[in-house]
Every structure is written in C-alpha cells, then in structure tokens.
Amino acid sequence: QKEVEQDPGPLSVPEGAIVSLNCTYSNSAFQYFMWYRQYSRKGPELLMYTYSSGNKEDGRFTAQVDKSSKYISLFIRDSQPSDSATYLCAMSADDSWGKLQFGAGTQVVVTP
Amino acid sequence: EAQVTQNPRYLITVTGKKLTVTCSQNMNHEYMSWYRQDPGLGLRQIYYSMNVEVTDKGDVPEGYKVSRKEKRNFPLILESPSPNQTSLYFCASSSLSGGPYNEQFFGPGTRLTVL
C-alpha cells in the first residue's frame, strides 16, 4: 500500500464551482504538507504548504490538514479554466523532510 | 533568469547502454532532488541531496546513481538502463533557508525511453 493515496480523477467542474481535492496518508510522522500544481508538459509548481494540523488560506485556495484522520484537502473557490491542471499533494516527516512522498495527482478540468 | 535546466530533454536508448541526465541550477540552492513520474503513480523520489557531497536515497533509488560534486550540478546516472526505467524524469532544487517550506523549483523534464 502506498503511503500517500490520491484519487487520480479526472475531476470535471463548471467554471465558478468549488474544486475539492484530498489525499490520505498512512505515515503518522508526516508533518509537512504541500500542494503542487502541474500543467501539461510542465514541471510541478508549489501552490501551498502547511505544517502539522490546521487551515491555511491564500486567495482562492484553502489547504486543510486533519492529522487525526490522516487526511489533507485543497479547496479552490471560484474555479477558472486556467485552474485546469493536475494537482499533487506531497508530504514529509520532521526527521527527513528532504524525502518527499507525493500522491499520484488529481487531474482537474474546469469547463467554461 | 533563475532556472533549473536538464539535458537531454528527450532520449531514446537501448537496454544496458549507460547514460547520464544532467541537471543544473543557477539559484545557489543547497537542496537538489531527482524524481520520476509515471502514469497513475505520481512523482516518486529517486535521490536527493542536501548539499555538496551529501546524497540520500528516495523511494526508488534502485538502478540509479547520483553525485553532487558541485553545488549547481546534480547528474543522474543510469549504469545499465532497463525498459522499466522508461519514464519522465524531473530534477528540482530549493534553498534550505527557512527549512522545508521552501518551494522546489522543477526543471522542464527529461523523457527517457529504454528499448
């Protein structure tokens, strides 16, 4: 079983809708949680990061971490066609934070 | 322009023929890492380096070698490539100041096919 599970999608939503993405994980040592966005034929780029539990908001993006459930989420409000991409969660532990575990990525399609 | 460069961008080779994929960054980053990306599996870390002469295994290091003799370069070596190493490879780098929150900057990717 993979340490990080993520539904690959695709997830199709109409423009303006809320996109909800999530990952589950099994390693309770994970403390650092990140979301990356990857456009087709490009390298990933960091969207958001959080440490331990809690919420973080940045513009239209909200990241949530529930360590008790080993579950992280990313919400995109007022979605735009330009948000169409693959979203990958990533996480690492305190004692080896250079070693990252990525989810498989969820493909999101926002239709005009 | 701050960037991570990889060469070659595309490579088709045959089983057993040693190859090197180069990675270079011009941002004076301490941390560098190699990943492979396969459909349905996401990004999997091969090796990473926290600084010159310091390298550690990621999740899938078998069949790969790396070295970090200079801060800016982190080549990935496949001594005897096999078809199961056909994949899209990404190199990434980040600063260590501020800890793990620093964004990893990814290169454009190298698409490798091993026949």
Side-chain angles (χ1 to χ4, degrees), chain B residues 19-36:
Chain B
L19 65 93
T20 300
V21 184
T22 64
C23 174
S24 182
Q25 50 93 5
N26 62 2
M27 295 168 279
N28 202 36
H29 285 166
E30 297 86 358
Y31 178 92
M32 297 186 75
S33 184
W34 275 104
Y35 301 89
R36 59 178 291 175

Side-chain angles (χ1 to χ4, degrees), chain B:
Chain B
E1 180 190 355
Q3 60 183 347
V4 177
T5 56
Q6 294 178 228
N7 282 293
R9 294 288 313 280
Y10 303 90
L11 179 61
I12 299 175
T13 189
V14 295
T15 299
K17 186 176 181 182
K18 181 179 178 180
L19 65 93
T20 300
V21 184
T22 64
C23 174
S24 182
Q25 50 93 5
N26 62 2
M27 295 168 279
N28 202 36
H29 285 166
E30 297 86 358
Y31 178 92
M32 297 186 75
S33 184
W34 275 104
Y35 301 89
R36 59 178 291 175
Q37 187 170 35
D38 303 288
L41 296 177
L43 280 169
R44 292 181 292 168
Q45 193 173 38
I46 302 171
Y47 272 96
Y48 65 98
S49 169
M50 303 292 267
N51 216 325
V52 176
E53 302 291 3
V54 180
T55 62
D56 278 297
K57 295 178 181 179
D59 262 354
V60 289
E62 296 78 19
Y64 304 94
K65 284 177 58 176
V66 293
S67 67
R68 187 90 182 274
K69 293 184 175 17
E70 305 168 279
K71 199 172 186 180
R72 64 183 292 129
N73 296 324
F74 192 43
L76 179 69
I77 304 157
L78 286 72
E79 295 268 4
S80 183
S82 62
N84 64 12
Q85 293 178 298
T86 293
S87 187
L88 178 59
Y89 290 86
F90 286 102
C91 179
S93 74
S94 73
S95 169
L96 284 183
S97 63
Y101 293 136
N102 291 310
E103 177 176 2
Q104 287 196 47
F105 292 87
F106 283 78
T110 294
R111 186 164 293 281
L112 172 66
T113 301
V114 183
L115 301 175

Side-chain angles (χ1 to χ4, degrees), chain A residues 11 17 19 43-44 48 68 72-73 76 88 91 94 96 101 104:
Chain A
L11 179 63
V19 176
M48 297 192 71
S68 62
I72 69 171
S73 302
I76 308 173
L88 302 107
M91 45 198 81
D94 255 334
S96 58
Q101 294 283 352

Side-chain angles (χ1 to χ4, degrees), chain A residues 32-109:
Chain A
Y32 301 101
F33 303 94
M34 291 143 279
W35 286 95
Y36 280 80
R37 177 176 63 196
Q38 185 177 22
Y39 290 113
S40 182
R41 301 182 186 279
K42 298 285 188 184
E45 53 182 349
L46 182 67
L47 264 182
M48 297 192 71
Y49 60 81
T50 53
Y51 177 75
S52 195
S53 286
N55 295 354
K56 186 172 184 179
E57 191 172 317
D58 184 2
R60 297 185 296 114
F61 298 90
T62 299
Q64 292 182 349
V65 176
D66 182 349
K67 289 197 69 183
S68 62
S69 302
K70 296 191 179 69
Y71 186 91
I72 69 171
S73 302
L74 177 72
F75 300 96
I76 308 173
R77 292 183 298 280
D78 187 24
S79 58
Q80 306 294 311
S82 59
D83 294 325
S84 298
T86 296
Y87 292 80
L88 302 107
C89 61
M91 45 198 81
S92 63
D94 255 334
D95 60 352
S96 58
W97 62 258
K99 187 172 182 179
L100 266 67
Q101 294 283 352
F102 278 82
T106 299
Q107 183 185 2
V108 172
V109 178

